[in-house]
Amino acid sequence: MPNYRRAFVPGGTWFFTVNLLQRYGNDLLVREIDLLRETVRRVRSRHPFRIDAWVVLPDHLHCVWTLPPGDSDFSMRWRLIKSGFSRALPKTERRSDIRKAAGERGIWQRHYWEHLIRDDADYQRHADYVHVNPLKHGYVLRAQDWPYSTFHRYVAKGIYSADWCGE
């Protein structure tokens, strides 16, 4: 079994990439966006964190979170989000024998990518990456046209202009 090394910094800010197990041709996350939003809201109500940036694409998501002072347990939050979302869906996905034996659903990849944000420049690079991702994958021609993103919040705050990144 791999031994993953994670940075646990209380009150830290992290960038995450979380993928569905079946990536190609799968639009589950945007099809079930309301369920995903409600699941995240429920987890945040019990285990607070600040959403600095977030984009949901059909088969994966990227986000930047900041945890409260004294708290570094992002893995528990992801476990609750992934399991809460999965439990609310009907059991129609294909599952491998290994996942069946472990009692796991076949919705999410087991692991996710996380990166501890080091400084303001690193934060800005990752927030920009989050918001440009729908363009990168060819879903839209302008960042403002993707509805499942905190890009619109950044525009409202004057951080980005509405025509930032695209065409």
Side-chain angles (χ1 to χ4, degrees):
M1 172 177 266
N3 184 13
Y4 292 95
R5 296 179 64 179
R6 292 202 157 126
F8 293 102
V9 176
T13 300
W14 282 271
F15 166 82
F16 299 99
T17 298
V18 182
N19 296 306
L20 292 178
L21 180 61
Q22 175 61 44
R23 292 278 312 262
Y24 302 102
N26 192 347
D27 69 347
L28 180 65
L29 294 179
V30 295
R31 189 168 17 100
E32 295 290 347
I33 191 70
D34 292 334
L35 173 59
L36 181 61
R37 287 175 172 155
E38 177 59 23
T39 304
V40 170
R41 188 199 62 72
R42 271 188 277 121
V43 171
R44 285 180 71 202
S45 72
R46 293 190 347 240
H47 307 284
F49 60 92
R50 185 179 73 219
I51 295 173
D52 297 292
W54 199 307
V55 67
V56 177
L57 299 165
D59 59 357
H60 70 287
L61 60 86
H62 300 287
C63 55
V64 177
W65 294 357
T66 299
L67 295 184
D71 189 343
S72 63
D73 199 356
F74 57 80
S75 58
M76 174 265 301
R77 288 166 172 87
W78 276 121
R79 185 175 58 254
L80 292 171
I81 290 168
K82 290 165 77 173
S83 65
F85 181 82
S86 297
R87 275 194 223 103
L89 295 171
K91 294 181 180 180
T92 58
E93 77 277 5
R94 181 196 156 306
R95 294 187 306 154
S96 68
D97 291 337
I98 291 169
R99 285 192 181 248
K100 288 177 188 173
E104 295 177 4
R105 299 287 305 265
I107 295 174
W108 299 99
Q109 288 185 7
R110 286 185 176 136
H111 302 288
Y112 49 85
W113 169 259
E114 95 273 345
H115 165 77
L116 178 64
I117 301 294
R118 297 180 303 270
D119 55 31
D120 290 342
D122 195 31
Y123 180 94
Q124 189 61 54
R125 276 191 304 275
H126 283 85
D128 288 351
Y129 181 82
V130 165
H131 295 124
V132 78
N133 219 255
L135 283 82
K136 175 186 169 203
H137 289 283
Y139 294 118
V140 293
L141 296 175
R142 302 174 307 173
Q144 68 182 356
D145 294 336
W146 190 251
Y148 314 114
S149 171
T150 54
F151 173 79
H152 309 284
R153 188 171 80 190
Y154 274 53
V155 170
K157 289 181 177 180
I159 298 169
Y160 294 143
S161 64
D163 62 353
W164 178 86
C165 199
E167 291 188 344

